[in-house]
Amino acid sequence: NFSYFYLTWSPPTVRIVHSGHTCNVEEERYSERVYTIREGETLELTCLVTGHPRPQIRWTKTAGSVSDRFQDSSVFNETLHIAKIQRHQGGRYYCKAENGLGSPAIKSIRVDVYYLDEPVVTVHQSIGEAKEQFYYERTVFLRCIANSNPPIRYSWYRGRDVLSQGSDKGVEIYEPFFTQGETKILKLKNLRPKDYANYSCIASIRNVCGIADRRVVFRLTNKTAPASIKLLVEDPIVVNPGQTVSLVCITTGGEPTPSLNWTLSSGSLPEKSLMKDGTLTLPAIASEDAGVYSCIASNNVGNPAKKSTTIIVRALKKGRFWITPDPYHNDDNIQIGREVKISCQVEATPPEELQFSWLKNGRALRSSERMVITQTDPDISPGTTNLDIIDLKFTDFGTYTCVASLRGGGIPEISIDVNISSTTVPPNLTVPRGKSPMAVREGETVELECLVSGKPKPIILWSRADKEAPMPDGSMQMESYDGVLRIVNVSREMSGSYRCQTSQYNGFNVKPREAVIELIVHYPPAVEPVWQEVRQGLGRPVAMNCRVLRAHPSRVLRYEWRLGSRLLHAGTFDSRDDTDYTIRSLVREGYGEYTCDIINEVGPGRCTFLVTGKAYPPEFYYDTYNPLWQNRPRVYGYKLQWTQMNPNAVDRIMAYRLGIRQTGQQRWWEQDIPVEGNIQKGELITHNLTELIRPEAYVVRLTPITRFGEGDSSTRVVTYSGEFHCSFEEDPVCMFTQDKNDDFDWTRHSAATRDTKYTPNTGPSGDRSSSKQGFYMYIETSRPRKEGDTARLLSPTFNVAPKNPHSITSPPAYCFSFYYHMYGKHIGTLNAFVKQKGQSTSDAGPVWSLSGNQGDRWRQAKISIHPTASFQVMFEGIRGPGIEGDIAIDDVTLEEGECPDPPSNRMYQTCISMVTGLTWRFGLVLTLHPLNLPIKNLIINKSNNSINAFYLLYKTMIVH
């Protein structure tokens, strides 16, 4: 039950198979597989891989648009499952398998999603040379359009009559060149009375994927007209916040009756909006609801009608001021006898309703020769008013108030007070003593402070001074009203220079004052490795190294090595940035967690090493050929194979602990599998699992055991399958072997690489699935082969245990099926045998046989067999009279149970009886397959019903 073989590590291979609701799978350009599926169906693609260690699988997707992401991430399992697939999910899907050996294996398949939307008919009218009310020509165009994949084939009907190009002189049907087949236009020239009718457009994609045709009907009458509308509202509409606004849109014309819809130019309509019968209601309107609202009416005749209105929501916000000293003197201070200007700014909606008034000490102030009130050009500084005080006097000192309001009312005023006095002085910035540089530990909270003097105190702007980097809140600049910048949870990346700077707002409009503060963030050493596992056997050396990557302050004080809490070694650094600890000979007490703390004045950085004798996990081998066998009717066996990861890393593996449980149950059954000698890297270990109950699946757990104890476990699932399948995609061709007593061998090949220089009119153009890349087995009948040469291919042995080994009354049934390709004028014979244990090749008679040219296509054969002992299936190809006689096979399957639709023995006997009777009556020499029975002296009269019945039965037997 336990054996060893040397296994070469193998790089991955990959193949994509499908099991979802496919419409078709075909090949294009020798390299691309195309999977066609209907929108809304389930896409299921499976990536079949081989390779050892077991490759990791990853599904990714590319599409026409770079922004199209595949489910936001990749899928890391064998099966890609997309339920209710949508059109945008079409594209090329890649399966990538890698196990660290060689290059990753990648296969792709293009998924083409088919769909057909409801068609839409739009009507346009062309009127030529209009003179007063008289029209020389009136032409109507009916355009039919729908979204689809593949392209649509359109057809037009007038009533029940099909309209085609040339069938009516007044009708023209064409496709505009620039639409690439997306639409079909019906042109009705110079309208006639009979042109007023029901027109049907049928969009068809020819029932691909079972998608039915779609039909749309349009009734053209002498009243057909495009939509027209009217808005029963003003433009613009100016409202106050909180009001309810109703926009009324009515249709004034159009046949058929138009549908009405509202849109907002800046995006979607507000969530709270309500729409009914063309009226859009906006309750409790807010500033963010402002914008251009459009009513659109459409009845698919002409262009949609559109009317728009603008909603403006009154608002006042962001009141600010600044003081400008006399610009004709190089002095930032306010002085008696000089000019001073006070500016006031707000943001107003609508700006034309903005109005300002000025007060001095609470009393209204009017413009005069010395007190000049002006409004700044809106293009230069919108929403700004200025008060110029000419020749400042002592009596001018006081509090000036700028009051902003909107003429329509309903919005609270904004008042801004500015004090002008002898104490009104420009700002100055200083950094308090001891506040720069600021040193702080990582994770703490720090306050950077700039003292601002002057009156009034302006807003302070903070930014990075040493580099173009964002501030802690993510912005490039932060505002502060008290000169303090507070940073919470400081990180080492925040170290550097910070600039504080006065703003012109709420202060003097003078050259900004600024200061710089240096921030230093202290943090403990960053070290590597943070965590590392070291696996080692007893008596062997162990070396550990801990390195400093960075620290601040960079002056490191000391290091400490510990095992658990026990101090092993300590010291200080000189010029090195790392420290080592070595165990010369590992003892059992030496296993455990080692730590190295490298410490500066902020704290320690820690390296952790877990020294263990645990063995690495085994790696299950998934590419075992035919691992499942049946030794009794109700149970089965399974050949479990694995290799050991890094077997020499720790002590010798003495045994494996095998755990097994049925899926869905909790109880584990365990046994130890002893191991003799040392396991080598790449050595394939085999253990046969027996007494597994059919058809249950089992979870298998395997744990290596050393002197240290249990190592890491691996688990896998073992499933029962009553089917053998071989598509010859991989060597060694499912363990099929060549017969040593025949004349030549079967050849594994693919159409993409096959040389057809000498025999172009024989052999398949692809494998059974029509893949140019897929493999199959065939006999090459070119020279030196001669007529009658045979090639035999034998399957592996399949075990059969009868229900009663002493009396075989009802042997088990199997369905043996395969695909064959027999194309060429020199085709010989293909025979299929079931060779049971103890039989020679010559003793086994064929269970299926066929001769002659069967056409350039793959056909399937199914035979129910009832072996009474272990058996093999064998294929025999016999060369015909010439070189155009290549025979191929593919997709060989053996399943439990009778074939669902094979020809029965009774049918075969009926055929033989009919053939015998017909032989006696008509007399023609005929070779009947699949059983090679000569029927002599038979003359066929095609008008004879019996002969016709015989011919049908003969064809039936050929097919099966």
Side-chain angles (χ1 to χ4, degrees):
N1 269 355
F2 195 68
S3 59
Y4 306 87
F5 299 95
Y6 183 74
L7 174 71
T8 302
W9 303 102
S10 56
T13 68
V14 65
R15 185 162 58 98
I16 297 175
V17 298
H18 55 87
S19 56
H21 298 155
T22 177
C23 300
N24 187 32
V25 178
E26 59 185 23
E27 303 292 321
E28 287 185 3
R29 299 186 297 278
Y30 291 88
S31 61
E32 185 175 39
R33 301 185 69 202
V34 181
Y35 180 107
T36 305
I37 187 170
R38 179 173 175 169
E39 187 173 48
E41 300 286 8
T42 297
L43 172 70
E44 193 165 285
L45 301 175
T46 301
C47 201
L48 301 182
V49 298
T50 65
H52 191 72
R54 183 68 166 172
Q56 296 292 316
I57 297 173
R58 179 184 181 190
W59 282 97
T60 56
K61 178 193 173 218
T62 60
S65 170
V66 176
S67 63
D68 185 9
R69 293 291 176 244
F70 170 40
Q71 296 183 351
D72 299 325
S73 64
S74 300
V75 173
F76 291 90
N77 54 37
E78 293 184 2
T79 300
L80 170 65
H81 183 94
I82 302 177
K84 297 182 179 179
I85 192 168
Q86 300 300 304
R87 62 194 66 178
H88 69 273
Q89 292 174 304
R92 184 172 289 110
Y93 287 82
Y94 291 87
C95 174
K96 179 179 180 181
E98 52 187 335
N99 63 356
L101 299 175
S103 300
I106 301 175
K107 289 288 185 184
S108 70
I109 187 169
R110 197 182 85 208
V111 175
D112 207 0
V113 181
Y114 279 7
Y115 57 91
L116 174 60
D117 291 345
E118 293 289 344
V120 175
V121 170
T122 58
V123 181
H124 296 270
Q125 179 176 284
S126 173
I127 300 175
E129 281 209 51
K131 289 185 178 179
E132 297 179 355
Q133 299 299 317
F134 180 76
Y135 301 111
Y136 286 101
E137 182 187 25
R138 185 181 182 194
T139 299
V140 169
F141 299 86
L142 278 74
R143 177 193 296 263
C144 186
I145 188 167
N147 297 317
S148 75
N149 182 36
I152 294 174
R153 180 179 296 166
Y154 294 95
S155 54
W156 281 100
Y157 286 76
R158 180 195 285 133
R160 296 184 178 181
D161 299 330
V162 178
L163 294 176
S164 59
Q165 186 66 28
S167 63
D168 185 331
K169 291 183 179 180
V171 173
E172 185 178 336
I173 300 174
Y174 65 94
E175 294 180 3
F177 175 75
F178 59 87
T179 63
Q180 299 180 351
E182 295 174 356
T183 183
K184 181 79 88 174
I185 293 179
L186 175 66
K187 181 179 179 182
L188 304 176
K189 298 180 289 186
N190 202 9
L191 280 180
R192 304 159 298 178
K194 74 173 185 177
D195 292 330
Y196 295 114
N198 287 336
Y199 289 86
S200 301
C201 171
I202 298 178
S204 173
I205 55 175
R206 296 161 294 287
N207 204 38
V208 296
C209 285
I211 299 176
D213 297 349
R214 302 291 178 92
R215 173 191 293 261
V216 61
V217 178
F218 185 89
R219 181 172 179 79
L220 182 66
T221 71
N222 57 1
K223 295 181 180 179
T224 299
S228 59
I229 56 174
K230 181 179 180 181
L231 289 185
L232 304 182
V233 292
E234 298 177 354
D235 184 31
I237 303 172
V238 182
V239 297
N240 292 330
Q243 285 185 267
T244 295
V245 179
S246 292
L247 305 179
V248 181
C249 178
I250 61 172
T251 59
T252 57
E255 173 66 33
T257 303
S259 62
L260 297 176
N261 192 30
W262 281 93
T263 62
L264 176 60
S265 60
S266 58
S268 57
L269 293 172
E271 291 185 5
K272 58 190 175 184
S273 63
L274 303 171
M275 187 163 54
K276 182 179 180 182
D277 299 331
T279 298
L280 178 67
T281 302
L282 304 171
I285 200 164
S287 295
E288 56 268 21
D289 300 330
V292 178
Y293 287 79
S294 300
C295 175
I296 300 174
S298 175
N299 64 350
N300 293 338
V301 179
N303 295 320
K306 181 178 180 180
K307 297 282 186 180
S308 302
T309 185
T310 302
I311 294 181
I312 299 172
V313 181
R314 289 189 179 91
L316 281 176
K317 56 185 177 180
K318 286 190 177 178
R320 290 177 167 179
F321 75 91
W322 57 92
I323 302 169
T324 305
D326 193 334
Y328 299 106
H329 294 83
N330 189 20
D331 190 349
D332 291 343
N333 292 291
I334 295 174
Q335 295 187 19
I336 299 294
R338 294 184 182 177
E339 179 182 342
V340 62
K341 180 166 69 174
I342 306 171
S343 301
C344 174
Q345 184 184 63
V346 296
E347 291 184 9
T349 305
E352 62 270 14
E353 288 192 9
L354 176 62
Q355 57 187 10
F356 288 103
S357 60
W358 284 89
L359 306 176
K360 178 185 178 184
N361 297 328
R363 294 184 177 182
L365 189 65
R366 298 183 179 276
S367 185
S368 63
E369 291 185 359
R370 275 199 336 103
M371 298 282 186
V372 181
I373 300 173
T374 60
Q375 198 127 342
T376 305
D377 186 344
D379 295 332
I380 299 174
S381 182
T384 305
T385 182
N386 306 297
L387 172 63
D388 273 297
I389 304 176
I390 311 299
D391 188 16
L392 181 68
K393 300 181 182 302
F394 181 79
T395 56
D396 295 330
F397 289 165
T399 299
Y400 292 84
T401 304
C402 163
V403 181
S405 62
L406 294 179
R407 281 193 292 272
I411 301 297
E413 299 175 338
I414 292 181
S415 297
I416 303 170
D417 292 335
V418 184
N419 186 265
I420 301 295
S421 68
S422 58
T423 61
T424 303
V425 293
N428 190 33
L429 274 182
T430 58
V431 177
R433 184 187 300 271
K435 293 294 185 177
S436 182
M438 285 287 290
V440 63
R441 292 192 175 194
E442 190 171 39
E444 294 182 343
T445 297
V446 64
E447 290 185 348
L448 307 183
E449 184 179 2
C450 281
L451 290 178
V452 55
S453 60
K455 186 179 180 182
K457 288 185 178 182
I459 297 171
I460 303 300
L461 305 177
W462 286 91
S463 60
R464 296 294 294 261
D466 54 345
K467 53 187 174 182
E468 192 73 18
M471 295 293 286
D473 69 347
S475 64
M476 298 304 294
Q477 195 175 67
M478 295 175 65
E479 291 186 356
S480 167
Y481 289 87
D482 58 0
V484 175
L485 175 64
R486 180 181 174 87
I487 304 175
V488 179
N489 194 18
V490 175
S491 65
R492 62 194 69 181
E493 293 79 14
M494 296 177 185
S495 294
S497 301
Y498 289 78
R499 177 188 296 110
C500 60
Q501 175 179 298
T502 60
S503 163
Q504 74 169 28
Y505 298 117
N506 298 0
F508 274 69
N509 183 21
V510 295
K511 182 180 179 181
R513 275 59 167 165
E514 65 178 47
V516 175
I517 297 178
E518 192 75 23
L519 176 63
I520 301 172
V521 180
H522 289 174
Y523 54 90
V527 298
E528 70 173 6
V530 175
W531 189 90
Q532 181 177 323
E533 184 183 61
V534 180
R535 303 203 185 206
Q536 189 59 282
L538 293 171
R540 302 179 191 177
V542 176
M544 292 167 278
N545 175 271
C546 186
R547 176 181 298 276
V548 180
L549 299 177
R550 54 193 170 274
H552 198 89
S554 57
R555 179 170 53 88
V556 177
L557 299 180
R558 65 188 187 279
Y559 59 84
E560 296 176 351
W561 284 92
R562 297 177 183 272
L563 173 57
S565 59
R566 180 164 60 94
L567 181 65
L568 301 173
H569 180 57
T572 58
F573 282 93
D574 42 25
S575 59
R576 293 181 56 183
D577 60 359
D578 64 337
T579 173
D580 299 307
Y581 186 77
T582 302
I583 304 170
R584 291 200 176 100
S585 179
L586 186 63
V587 296
R588 183 170 294 277
E589 293 75 19
Y591 287 122
E593 188 173 85
Y594 290 76
T595 58
C596 174
D597 287 340
I598 299 180
I599 308 163
N600 67 0
E601 63 185 44
V602 180
R606 172 169 289 186
C607 296
T608 301
F609 302 87
L610 178 62
V611 178
T612 177
K614 289 177 64 175
Y616 284 97
E619 296 176 307
F620 284 112
Y621 184 60
Y622 286 83
D623 301 334
T624 306
Y625 163 72
N626 203 25
L628 183 146
W629 77 94
Q630 302 163 39
N631 50 10
R632 292 203 303 276
R634 292 187 178 86
V635 299
Y636 68 98
Y638 195 89
K639 184 188 293 184
L640 189 69
Q641 294 187 300
W642 70 91
T643 60
Q644 177 60 44
M645 181 190 295
N646 300 332
N648 299 318
V650 294
D651 290 331
R652 184 182 73 84
I653 294 173
M654 301 183 296
Y656 284 95
R657 182 153 295 145
L658 174 69
I660 185 167
R661 66 174 173 84
Q662 281 190 24
T663 55
Q665 297 189 7
Q666 301 299 319
R667 185 176 179 182
W668 287 89
W669 298 91
E670 291 188 337
Q671 73 174 97
D672 285 353
I673 306 172
V675 175
E676 300 294 335
N678 293 324
I679 298 175
Q680 301 302 315
K681 186 173 183 179
E683 194 171 338
L684 187 63
I685 306 169
T686 300
H687 177 78
N688 292 329
L689 302 176
T690 59
E691 304 299 321
L692 304 179
I693 301 172
R694 296 167 56 185
E696 300 295 337
Y698 291 85
V699 180
V700 176
R701 180 178 64 202
L702 203 59
T703 309
I705 300 173
T706 64
R707 287 190 294 172
F708 177 83
E710 291 190 352
D712 290 337
S713 300
S714 292
T715 59
R716 66 161 296 179
V717 176
V718 170
T719 56
Y720 174 77
S721 172
E723 175 183 327
F724 165 84
H725 177 81
C726 183
S727 57
F728 305 111
E729 296 300 321
E730 309 293 340
D731 274 328
V733 293
C734 314
M735 301 307 231
F736 273 82
T737 56
Q738 308 282 351
D739 189 0
K740 297 179 181 180
N741 298 317
D742 56 7
D743 301 307
F744 66 108
D745 286 344
W746 287 79
T747 303
R748 175 177 173 265
H749 231 309
S750 71
T753 58
R754 185 179 176 195
D755 183 3
T756 57
K757 180 178 179 181
Y758 299 105
T759 52
N761 298 316
T762 188
S765 58
D767 73 354
R768 200 277 299 175
S769 66
S770 300
S771 169
K772 298 289 190 298
Q773 308 300 317
F775 284 86
Y776 52 87
M777 299 295 289
Y778 85 109
I779 59 169
E780 174 58 64
T781 57
S782 301
R783 295 178 181 85
R785 303 276 69 83
K786 59 183 182 297
E787 186 173 2
D789 282 357
T790 61
R792 299 189 190 96
L793 187 68
L794 289 98
S795 76
T797 300
F798 301 100
N799 296 319
V800 172
K803 296 179 181 178
N804 185 348
H806 303 290
S807 176
I808 303 173
T809 56
S810 55
Y814 295 89
C815 181
F816 168 39
S817 68
F818 59 93
Y819 283 84
Y820 60 90
H821 189 282
M822 301 172 68
Y823 169 56
K825 63 183 179 181
H826 300 139
I827 291 292
T829 299
L830 175 63
N831 295 321
F833 299 82
V834 173
K835 179 175 173 288
Q836 300 195 65
K837 184 177 180 180
Q839 280 186 320
S840 65
T841 303
S842 58
D843 293 337
V847 296
W848 184 95
S849 181
L850 190 60
S851 299
N853 185 359
Q854 304 299 315
D856 187 10
R857 57 175 292 191
W858 287 95
R859 302 171 186 267
Q860 188 180 28
K862 289 185 178 182
I863 312 104
S864 290
I865 60 174
H866 303 84
T868 58
S870 299
F871 67 95
Q872 295 172 281
V873 295
M874 181 177 69
F875 293 96
E876 180 183 63
I878 304 175
R879 189 200 190 256
I883 62 173
E884 294 181 18
D886 294 354
I887 298 174
I889 59 172
D890 200 1
D891 285 354
V892 179
T893 302
L894 193 68
E895 297 178 272
E896 289 183 341
E898 299 277 353
C899 293
D901 54 355
S904 66
N905 290 335
R906 179 175 297 177
M907 176 182 175
Y908 164 69
Q909 293 297 336
T910 302
C911 288
I912 297 302
S913 299
M914 287 192 64
V915 169
T916 304
L918 292 168
T919 303
W920 177 78
R921 288 183 60 190
F922 299 101
L924 172 74
V925 177
L926 177 72
T927 301
L928 176 63
H929 291 288
L931 296 177
N932 290 340
L933 297 178
I935 304 170
K936 300 180 181 179
N937 304 320
L938 181 63
I939 302 172
I940 294 181
N941 179 354
K942 290 188 178 180
S943 64
N944 186 292
N945 290 334
S946 299
I947 295 298
N948 289 336
F950 159 74
Y951 180 72
L952 290 174
L953 284 170
Y954 167 75
K955 292 296 288 183
T956 302
M957 295 184 71
I958 291 296
V959 169
H960 284 286

